[in-house]
Amino acid sequence: MENENLLAISKEYGSPIYVYDSSKITSQYNRLTDAFKKVKQLKLNYAVKALSNIAVLKLMNSLGAGLDTVSIQEVQLGLKAGAKPNNIVFTPNGVSLEEIEEVAALGVQINIDNLSILEQFGTKHPNIPVCIRMNPHVMAGGNSKISVGHIDSKFGISIHQIPHILRIVENTGMRINGIHMHTGSDILDIEVFLRACEILFETAMNFKNLDFIDFGSGFKVPYKSGDIETNIEEFGNKMTKRFNAFCKEYGKELILGFEPGKFLVSEAGYFLAKVNVIKQTTSTVFAGIDSGFNHLIRPMFYNAHHDIINISNPNGKERFYSVVGYVCETDTFATNRRIPEINEGDTIAFKNAGAYCYSMSSNYNSRYRPAEVLWHEGKAHLIRKRETFEDLIKNQVDVDIFSEIAESAS
Ligand SMILES: Cc1ncc(COP(=O)(O)O)c(C=O)c1O
C-alpha cells in the first residue's frame, strides 16, 4: 500500500489503527494454490486465529478457503461469515469434551489431539468421523515458543502411541477420516518439514478409511530484508510429487490439506500509530507511540521483528530510535532502529501486522482496542470500530456493596 493511502486512513479513522490490504491476501492465496496445482484435491483452511475479523473470513470464503479453528467461538465467527460447517476444521488443544461435542453437532470436522478425548468421543459418537492430530516429534518451527511438533510439546498424539490409537479405534468402531500435524510457525528448513511429512505418510498407512491428510502450516514469510522465507514454490513441487506417489501407494486419491495463517495475512497488514513524544535520554532517543503491547505484543512476546517506517517523513534523514509504547510496562517495539527522522505527531507504520497482531490485542491499562480497516480495490472499508468506554465496562457489574462502609468512614 502507498504511504498516502495509509496516512489518509489514519487521518479519517484515527490512531492507532490496523489496515489490511485484500489484494495481498488474495495474491498469497493464489501463490499457495499455484504451488500445488498438480495435486488433484487441495484444501486450504485458513487459520482463523491469525486474524479473525469477519470481513477477512468472508474474503477467505470468496477465495475458496475453508477455515481452521481452535475454539467454538472461532467456529461461530466462521459460520457468521458464511462458511459451511463442512468447510471448517476444529483443531483444539486442551478443550473439554463438551465443547468438542457441541462443535461436532454443528457438522464441523473434528480433529482430536489426545487419547483420553479420542476414547470418550469415539465411545459416545462412533458414527462421527474424526481426524487425529499427531505429534511427529520434529523440531521444524522457529523458536521454542512457536515450535509445537517436538517431543516436549503439549500438542498432538505421539507417533509412538499409534498402537493405542488403533486399539481405541477398534474398540469403539469409530472412523478416522483424516490425519493431521502442525509442527509450528516459521518453518526454517523445507527438508526438515518434509521429513515430518514422511512420518505422517507412514502413520496414515495405519488408517484405511482416510479422506484427507492435513499437514498444518508454519510457512514462513519475511519480516525484514534478507529474512529466510519458506520457498513455497520449491516446497510445492517436492510435496506434490511425494503426495501423488503416496496416494498411489495408499490406493485412493486423498485431499491434501494445509492450514496457513501467517502466509496468507501477515504481509497484508499494517499497524499505524502516532508518535506522542520524542524523549532523549543519556543513552538513547525514544519514540513513544500511542500504543503498547496491548495492541501489538509480538515484539515483546516472541521477540519478533516488525519493520517500522515513518510514513509522515519517509525520505527524512535516518536516525536511531528505540520505539516504545505507552503502557506501564517495558513495552519496547524496537531498539536502535534506523528510521527516517521522527517528529512528535508523525505516524509510523509497523509492517507484517496482519497475523497474530490484532487477534492478540487486549485492554491492558484500560485502553481501547484499535479500529481495523480493509483496503479493497482502492477503497478503505472500516471493518471494526475502535472500542469505547462503554465497551470497557459493558460486562462489569457495578455492585452497590460499599456505600455503607464509605458513609461510615466519612
Ligand atoms: C493447529 C494450527 N494450524 C495452523 C496454524 C497456523 O500457523 P501459521 O500462522 O504459522 O501458518 C497454527 C498456528 O498456531 C496452528 O496452531
Side-chain angles (χ1 to χ4, degrees):
M1 285 187 69
E2 305 291 332
N3 286 350
E4 300 81 67
N5 304 135
L6 293 171
L7 275 175
I9 289 169
S10 167
K11 198 162 171 211
E12 183 168 357
Y13 298 104
S15 173
I17 191 159
Y18 277 97
V19 183
Y20 313 115
D21 178 0
S22 69
S23 68
K24 183 66 186 174
I25 296 176
T26 303
S27 66
Q28 287 293 94
Y29 182 83
N30 292 339
R31 218 181 124 196
L32 203 47
T33 47
D34 272 2
F36 292 93
K37 60 178 179 289
K38 290 194 178 142
V39 168
K40 291 225 168 60
Q41 301 182 80
L42 176 72
K43 184 76 207 161
L44 299 183
N45 292 317
Y46 166 62
V48 172
K49 66 173 87 66
L51 173 59
S52 51
N53 190 292
I54 288 174
V56 173
L57 305 187
K58 282 185 175 171
L59 171 61
M60 295 299 173
N61 208 10
S62 75
L63 293 172
L67 300 177
D68 162 59
T69 58
V70 293
S71 67
I72 189 164
Q73 291 78 12
E74 283 191 354
V75 171
Q76 286 162 341
L77 283 176
L79 294 173
K80 195 165 170 52
K84 299 267 181 304
N86 62 3
N87 230 353
I88 303 178
V89 178
F90 185 51
T91 301
N93 173 262
V95 312
S96 68
L97 177 63
E98 290 73 25
E99 184 172 335
I100 293 175
E101 287 176 310
E102 240 182 283
V103 172
L106 295 169
V108 166
Q109 170 72 52
I110 300 300
N111 189 7
I112 292 179
D113 96 327
N114 69 80
L115 290 171
S116 167
I117 297 283
L118 187 72
E119 183 171 336
Q120 293 177 72
F121 191 88
T123 304
K124 283 176 83 176
H125 311 283
N127 297 323
I128 300 180
V130 158
C131 174
I132 300 180
R133 178 174 184 170
M134 303 302 304
N135 182 334
H137 303 318
V138 167
M139 190 72 143
N143 66 44
S144 61
K145 271 196 181 149
I146 56 174
S147 199
V148 295
H150 56 85
I151 197 152
D152 291 322
S153 165
K154 67 168 184 164
F155 297 94
I157 301 176
S158 165
I159 41 165
H160 302 303
Q161 291 174 310
I162 292 173
H164 197 162
I165 297 175
L166 294 175
R167 179 160 299 161
I168 291 172
V169 171
E170 197 185 327
N171 289 345
T172 58
M174 69 193 301
R175 180 185 162 210
I176 304 304
N177 68 341
I179 291 288
H180 168 273
M181 72 169 185
H182 172 67
T183 57
S185 278
D186 288 358
I187 294 163
L188 299 177
D189 184 347
I190 294 176
E191 297 306 323
V192 177
F193 188 66
L194 285 167
R195 234 179 291 143
C197 296
E198 284 305 324
I199 295 171
L200 210 58
F201 286 133
E202 224 175 277
T203 305
M205 288 310 275
N206 291 286
F207 301 92
K208 300 298 167 214
N209 289 309
L210 295 182
D211 295 324
F212 64 93
I213 306 183
D214 184 336
F215 294 88
S217 179
F219 306 134
K220 181 164 171 22
V221 293
Y223 274 72
K224 54 178 181 248
S225 77
D227 226 0
I228 298 174
E229 81 178 289
T230 307
N231 184 336
I232 214 73
E233 288 72 24
E234 185 190 343
F235 176 63
N237 226 340
K238 289 184 170 166
M239 185 66 180
T240 298
K241 280 191 197 124
R242 184 61 191 101
F243 187 77
N244 289 343
F246 174 78
C247 288
K248 277 208 180 96
E249 204 184 316
Y250 188 76
K252 183 178 174 188
E253 214 51 73
L254 297 174
I255 298 167
L256 169 60
F258 290 110
E259 44 196 37
K262 215 177 242 187
F263 188 83
L264 296 182
V265 298
S266 173
E267 293 164 287
Y270 300 82
F271 179 52
L272 312 182
K274 269 222 162 75
V275 177
N276 281 337
V277 64
I278 296 292
K279 180 173 184 176
Q280 189 137 9
T281 68
T282 44
S283 61
T284 190
V285 181
F286 289 107
I289 62 172
D290 62 352
S291 181
F293 70 47
N294 49 329
H295 298 151
L296 175 57
I297 200 172
R298 298 189 74 258
M300 304 85 186
F301 195 38
Y302 296 122
N303 211 11
H305 173 105
H306 286 261
D307 270 349
I308 300 172
I309 45 180
N310 181 358
I311 56 175
S312 297
N313 183 25
N315 302 316
K317 189 173 163 193
E318 288 190 337
R319 301 195 53 194
F320 288 100
Y321 295 95
S322 288
V323 179
V324 293
Y326 62 2
V327 298
C328 291
E329 304 281 342
T330 301
D331 57 344
T332 306
F333 291 102
T335 308
N336 288 333
R337 198 65 78 73
R338 262 182 114 112
I339 301 171
E341 183 157 3
I342 304 177
N343 292 297
E344 290 175 357
D346 281 358
T347 296
I348 61 170
F350 292 81
K351 295 177 81 175
N352 284 76
Y356 309 106
C357 293
Y358 186 93
S359 59
M360 285 187 160
S361 65
S362 75
N363 289 121
Y364 187 55
N365 275 198
S366 298
R367 295 285 184 184
Y368 308 142
R369 268 177 285 218
E372 292 181 291
V373 160
L374 186 68
W375 179 254
H376 182 63
E377 294 179 349
K379 268 203 189 133
H381 302 265
L382 184 67
I383 57 171
R384 192 190 302 262
K385 293 186 212 159
R386 185 178 312 286
E387 286 180 333
T388 63
F389 189 67
E390 285 308 307
D391 294 312
L392 272 190
I393 58 167
K394 70 172 183 275
N395 291 327
Q396 297 200 36
V397 181
D398 190 7
V399 289
D400 189 21
I401 51 179
F402 301 113
S403 49
E404 268 177 35
I405 307 171
E407 263 168 38
S408 63
S410 62

